Amino acid sequence: VEEQIIPLLSETYRDILPSECSKLYTIGLSESGISDKLDLIKLPEQYELGYRSYLPFIEVKIFGPAADMERRLKLLQIVYGHLKDNVVSVDEPMIDNVAALLIEGGTTLSLAEQASGGFLTSWLHESEPMAKQLKQSWVMNTEMDKNLVEQDPLAASLALAAATRENGKATFGLSCGKLKDNVFAVALS
């Protein structure tokens, strides 16, 4: 591709300028919800918006000429302004962003999962830098200590997060409790 196809395309289509893509990773909105917020933005010529479902995120992409970085960054700021409460990362997946923040702060994380059944641990291990900041993780079944389960779900999750942090000798402890009626508590200590 690099030795034959791209040079041939570049030679054949000299009028086409290379483009770049900036990405916002959002959570909590659907593609149509994002579109509703961004439809009023008038994009300059040669610019377009795109969306991609990247569960659990929706990526908002801004495509534009590679040589026009200043304008693309201004558009990125405008789009960010419309979505800011739902943006979890810019130009890198959230897990990599969180890993960079943990590394920068010299901090670590331990997890205790019940409702997610190990999904979160598996997901965090997809990023090598994040996996290095993960001290320990526990996946608990639904039959764990009845006294903990019968407590207020949020209080139980908070206690579990604190115990996870302490037992894992980590800076932060994150827990998700038992799934009940399609709801579960999440706590960070």
Side-chain angles (χ1 to χ4, degrees):
V1 169
E2 290 179 9
E3 292 175 10
Q4 294 180 16
I5 296 173
I6 292 176
L8 178 62
L9 289 173
S10 296
E11 183 65 31
T12 305
Y13 300 101
R14 293 179 187 208
D15 296 350
I16 296 177
L17 299 173
S19 66
E20 290 283 331
C21 176
S22 295
K23 299 176 187 176
L24 294 166
Y25 291 82
T26 67
I27 196 162
L29 292 172
S30 64
E31 287 182 55
S32 61
I34 292 170
S35 179
D36 290 346
K37 289 180 175 261
L38 301 181
D39 278 349
L40 300 175
I41 298 174
K42 182 162 173 53
L43 296 173
E45 194 173 311
Q46 298 180 327
Y47 281 86
E48 64 180 289
L49 288 175
Y51 309 101
R52 180 177 86 118
S53 179
Y54 180 67
L55 292 177
F57 310 105
I58 303 292
E59 279 182 86
V60 178
K61 299 178 181 185
I62 303 170
F63 299 95
D68 195 9
M69 177 66 106
E70 187 176 326
R71 183 180 288 181
R72 194 170 66 256
L73 288 176
K74 285 181 183 176
L75 285 171
L76 186 65
Q77 289 173 336
I78 291 168
V79 171
Y80 180 88
H82 284 77
L83 303 172
K84 63 184 169 195
D85 291 339
N86 298 90
V87 174
V88 294
S89 188
V90 177
D91 281 334
E92 68 179 341
M94 184 189 77
I95 296 295
D96 293 336
N97 188 22
V98 171
L101 292 170
L102 289 172
I103 292 165
E104 182 180 304
T107 56
T108 55
L109 176 68
S110 285
L111 299 173
E113 299 181 72
Q114 191 171 18
S116 52
F119 174 80
L120 183 56
T121 298
S122 176
W123 186 40
L124 295 178
H125 277 277
E126 290 178 12
S127 165
E128 188 176 328
M130 185 68 220
K132 288 180 179 177
Q133 298 310 113
L134 188 59
K135 296 286 276 185
Q136 290 183 336
S137 62
W138 294 274
V139 180
M140 299 181 232
N141 68 26
T142 57
E143 299 303 317
M144 61 184 254
D145 183 358
K146 297 290 184 196
N147 293 330
L148 188 61
V149 173
E150 291 172 8
Q151 288 181 27
D152 170 44
L154 183 55
S157 196
L158 286 167
L160 187 56
T164 298
R165 177 182 48 79
E166 289 172 22
N167 291 334
K169 295 178 178 38
T171 313
F172 298 104
L174 178 65
S175 71
C176 63
K178 181 179 180 181
L179 183 65
K180 185 175 180 183
D181 300 325
N182 287 327
V183 174
F184 64 92
V186 175
L188 179 67
S189 170

